[in-house]
């Protein structure tokens, strides 16, 4: 039961956070990226476009959170995409060096997908699996 609540809570939090971050980037453009300042119209356009995509990604998380049970396959795919983002940031770090400190914090957060992989099937597993263990002790 704890895993089910954790899964649902984390999936909802991920969805709301991604939608908010995505819309923040759409609305503010370069101003939403620490250290980007006056990166120019091309980077601003790219950032706003990817902000919209990220908001849509967040909506996919929210859709998953509203399903009953939360679909494990969808959670794993969404978490895998998030992990791919972390891999991209690590690749950037290796090629370009250390980014703004806030980007480093985001990289650490983006390494959380193993937690989602572990929790993904919490609601799809028969609820008795925990209950059987408890009944076996009685």
């Amino acid at each position: 039961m704890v895993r089910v609540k954790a899964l649902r809570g984390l999936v909802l939090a991920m969805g709301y956070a991604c939608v908010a971050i995505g819309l923040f980037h759409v609305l503010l453009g370069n101003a939403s990226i620490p250290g980007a300042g006056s990166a120019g119209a091309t980077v601003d356009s790219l950032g706003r476009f990817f902000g919209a995509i990220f908001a849509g990604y967040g909506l996919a998380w929210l859709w998953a959170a509203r399903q009953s049970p939360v679909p494990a396959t969808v959670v794993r795919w969404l978490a895998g995409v998030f992990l791919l983002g972390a891999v991209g940031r690590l690749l950037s770090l290796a090629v370009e060096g250390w980014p703004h400190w806030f980007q480093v914090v985001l990289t650490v957060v983006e390494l959380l997908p193993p937690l989602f992989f572990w929790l993904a099937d919490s609601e799809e597993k028969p609820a008795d699996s925990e209950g059987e263990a408890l009944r076996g002790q009685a």
Side-chain angles (χ1 to χ4, degrees), residues 103-118:
Q103 302 297 323
V104 175
V105 171
L106 292 175
T107 303
V108 171
V109 170
E110 290 160 359
L111 292 170
L112 287 176
L115 177 61
F116 284 100
F117 296 149
W118 176 65

Side-chain angles (χ1 to χ4, degrees), residues 51-68:
I53 298 296
F54 200 61
Y57 172 73
L59 291 174
W61 279 102
L62 291 175
W63 174 86
R66 287 176 168 73
Q67 302 308 302
S68 185

Side-chain angles (χ1 to χ4, degrees), residues 46-98:
L46 182 69
R48 290 177 196 262
F49 171 79
F50 284 128
I53 298 296
F54 200 61
Y57 172 73
L59 291 174
W61 279 102
L62 291 175
W63 174 86
R66 287 176 168 73
Q67 302 308 302
S68 185
V70 173
T73 301
V74 173
V75 169
R76 286 188 180 110
W77 273 100
L78 291 170
V81 169
F82 203 60
L83 184 59
L84 188 58
V87 170
R89 287 192 195 268
L90 293 172
L91 180 61
S92 176
L93 191 144
V95 172
E96 298 292 333
W98 289 94

Side-chain angles (χ1 to χ4, degrees), residues 11-61:
V11 170
L12 274 172
M14 180 69 99
Y16 286 123
C18 291
V19 168
I21 292 165
L23 292 177
F24 183 69
H25 282 266
V26 169
L27 296 173
L28 296 179
N30 285 342
S32 67
I33 305 167
S38 60
T42 301
V43 173
D44 184 79
S45 174
L46 182 69
R48 290 177 196 262
F49 171 79
F50 284 128
I53 298 296
F54 200 61
Y57 172 73
L59 291 174
W61 279 102

